[in-house]
Amino acid sequence: MHLNKSTAAVHSGTHKDPETRGILTPVYTGTSYEYIDTDKSVYPRYFNTPNQDAVVKKLCALEHGEDGLVLSSGMAAVVAALLALLKKGDHAVFQGGIYGGTHHMVTAEFKGLGIDYTFTPGNAPAYFEAAIRPETKVIYIETPSNPLLELTDISAIVALAKKHGIITVIDNTFASPVNQNPIDLGIDVVLHSGTKYLGGHSDIICGAVIASREIMAAIRSRSVNLGGTLNAQTCALLERSLRTLVIRVERQNQNALTLAHYLEKNPAISKVNYPGLESHSDHTLALQQMSGFGGMLSFELKDLDIVSFQKNLHLIHPAMSLGGIESIICSPRMTSHAKISPEMRTAMGISDQLLRLSVGIEDVNDLIQDIQQAIEKTHQSSTIGSLAGS
């Protein structure tokens, strides 16, 4: 029976305990399981406990995948997938505008492993094709990108990869399974930082990989050796959160679109990055490959000090991470992309005035008022400071 996403989020994967007959998956805290007269050796590091299985089944239903893993962090998922798909002598093509942590991991670790890589200078398929070599085994994309919300044409990348026999990997964190299903478009491996939208409450850290059974067999084997397992309690919290994923993300979509229109008209803002805006360069592509525009946006303040502006916010938290029910704002220069050189950030289009906003589920009018009062207060302080200096 094929379920719609909102139904699948609630019902798929739930492990029914035959003794208690509870309607929710119990929390199996044990780390030791009997092995005689069973065809399955259960052990948390093998990623096969009931709590792990329940979450994976729900994620596969939402992402339309065959199999998956939940791991201890988003980066654990990234590393597990890439090290399973790449070996010494291989080459990978990475989209230039990706999550700073992934970018840093690749530049810090791959050379020592004998794996070569190329970062594309943009998102156009031609950049990826130009970077392909005979030894290229993986193309890695992230769409929408962090933090500029640029889109990559998933279908075009898939066609290019199939032409050359290359495996495609996507970080689908920003979109979430609610707004985008890359496997339906031909992507081989989908990654999530489950700390973000999947968890959704800013209280757990986890990651996820979803793919075909064949690809997941290789990733699972490598993951067992790397040891990035997820404990039963966190799995239970993640399963709880996934039950409300659709309703949360739909509200965040609505709020983000309203905020993007407000910011676009605000004279204190020089630029707004949100694929739901008709002014966005990739708006048409967003309509084609996304079912919702997401809860993430970024914008640049014209002349105001970004630190003072963030301090003057009352409801929106200046904090790291994203995807929670509360609105969070941060400076990529100071957080997600702090490990990237200023020159590289400039090349990536990340200005020092850029702020990334993860929109929550609050009343959107309260969020607009909070931003407006922070702009006015920061402007007043700047004016007073200028007058005092003169």
Side-chain angles (χ1 to χ4, degrees):
M1 179 180 179
H2 177 73
L3 300 176
N4 291 318
K5 286 183 183 178
S6 55
T7 307
V10 176
H11 292 285
S12 294
T14 304
H15 179 84
K16 301 293 181 65
D17 183 80
E19 183 173 345
T20 64
R21 301 179 67 184
I23 64 171
L24 298 179
T25 304
V27 181
Y28 293 88
T29 58
T31 57
S32 183
Y33 293 81
E34 294 183 355
Y35 65 93
I36 297 176
D37 295 329
T38 178
D39 58 358
K40 182 179 180 180
S41 297
V42 176
Y43 188 60
R45 189 169 60 83
Y46 297 164
F47 301 93
N48 62 0
T49 65
N51 290 109
Q52 292 167 330
D53 286 346
V55 173
V56 166
K57 288 176 182 177
K58 196 179 291 290
L59 286 173
C60 285
L62 291 168
E63 280 288 18
H64 307 157
E66 293 180 349
D67 195 10
L69 288 179
V70 284
L71 298 102
S72 56
S73 70
M75 284 307 304
V78 171
V79 171
L82 291 177
L83 293 191
L85 300 173
L86 295 165
K87 64 181 184 305
K88 184 177 180 179
D90 288 343
H91 172 259
V93 178
F94 289 86
Q95 176 182 309
I98 59 172
Y99 168 57
T102 303
H103 189 285
H104 179 69
M105 184 278 294
V106 170
T107 57
E109 304 293 341
F110 271 26
K111 290 293 185 183
L113 297 171
I115 301 171
D116 204 0
Y117 57 87
T118 300
F119 286 102
T120 64
N123 294 15
Y127 290 126
F128 290 87
E129 186 157 27
I132 292 174
R133 306 175 188 172
E135 64 271 25
T136 302
K137 297 296 188 293
V138 166
I139 293 178
Y140 185 108
I141 65 174
E142 178 181 333
T143 179
S145 68
N146 179 7
L148 296 177
L149 286 301
E150 296 173 329
L151 267 60
T152 302
D153 189 329
I154 296 174
S155 295
I157 295 300
V158 166
L160 176 64
K162 289 186 181 302
K163 174 183 173 183
H164 294 275
I166 299 170
I167 292 176
T168 49
V169 180
I170 187 172
D171 183 337
N172 202 35
T173 298
F174 263 34
S176 87
V178 179
N179 293 322
Q180 187 169 266
N181 290 123
I183 289 174
D184 291 350
L185 298 174
I187 287 287
D188 296 306
V189 181
V190 174
L191 304 176
H192 284 279
S193 172
T195 313
K196 309 333 192 264
Y197 286 103
L198 303 186
H201 294 76
S202 303
D203 57 4
I204 59 175
I205 184 167
C206 57
V209 187
I210 304 98
S212 67
R213 292 185 183 91
E214 181 181 2
I215 291 176
M216 283 309 309
I219 296 175
R220 182 184 298 270
S221 177
R222 193 62 188 262
S223 298
V224 168
N225 293 333
L226 294 174
T229 192
L230 197 64
N231 66 58
Q233 291 90 342
T234 305
C235 285
L237 287 172
L238 178 56
E239 186 182 0
R240 168 218 64 181
S241 297
L242 287 171
R243 291 165 64 87
T244 63
L245 175 67
V246 175
I247 194 169
R248 285 188 284 107
V249 171
E250 287 178 346
R251 175 61 176 266
Q252 288 164 318
N253 288 347
Q254 295 168 4
N255 281 356
L257 181 59
T258 301
L259 273 172
H261 282 298
Y262 154 75
L263 291 167
E264 192 174 42
K265 297 175 182 177
N266 195 307
I269 309 300
S270 59
K271 185 178 182 182
V272 182
N273 304 304
Y274 186 67
L277 293 175
E278 292 184 6
S279 59
H280 192 284
S281 60
D282 298 322
H283 179 66
T284 300
L285 180 58
L287 292 171
Q288 294 171 358
Q289 66 185 32
M290 301 181 74
S291 55
F293 300 120
M296 297 299 302
L297 60 87
S298 61
F299 61 94
E300 295 182 17
L301 287 174
K302 273 186 182 177
D303 305 311
L304 301 177
D305 179 73
I306 62 169
V307 174
S308 297
F309 168 76
Q310 291 177 86
K311 287 182 177 180
N312 287 329
L313 292 165
H314 298 318
L315 294 176
I316 302 172
H317 301 280
M320 292 186 286
S321 200
L322 58 98
I325 57 173
E326 63 286 305
S327 295
I328 292 175
I329 195 167
C330 73
S331 160
R333 171 178 62 85
M334 301 169 68
T335 57
S336 62
H337 290 68
K339 294 179 181 179
I340 298 175
S341 69
E343 295 77 18
M344 179 63 72
R345 286 198 301 267
T346 299
M348 294 169 69
I350 301 172
S351 77
D352 289 350
Q353 290 296 107
L354 183 72
L355 290 169
R356 190 190 72 186
L357 178 60
S358 171
V359 183
I361 65 171
E362 305 97 334
D363 187 289
V364 71
N365 292 317
D366 291 333
L367 297 176
I368 289 173
Q369 290 176 18
D370 192 31
I371 292 172
Q372 188 59 44
Q373 68 81 26
I375 288 173
E376 293 172 359
K377 187 173 181 180
T378 307
H379 179 71
Q380 291 170 1
S381 299
S382 177
T383 302
I384 292 173
S386 298
L387 291 174
S390 61

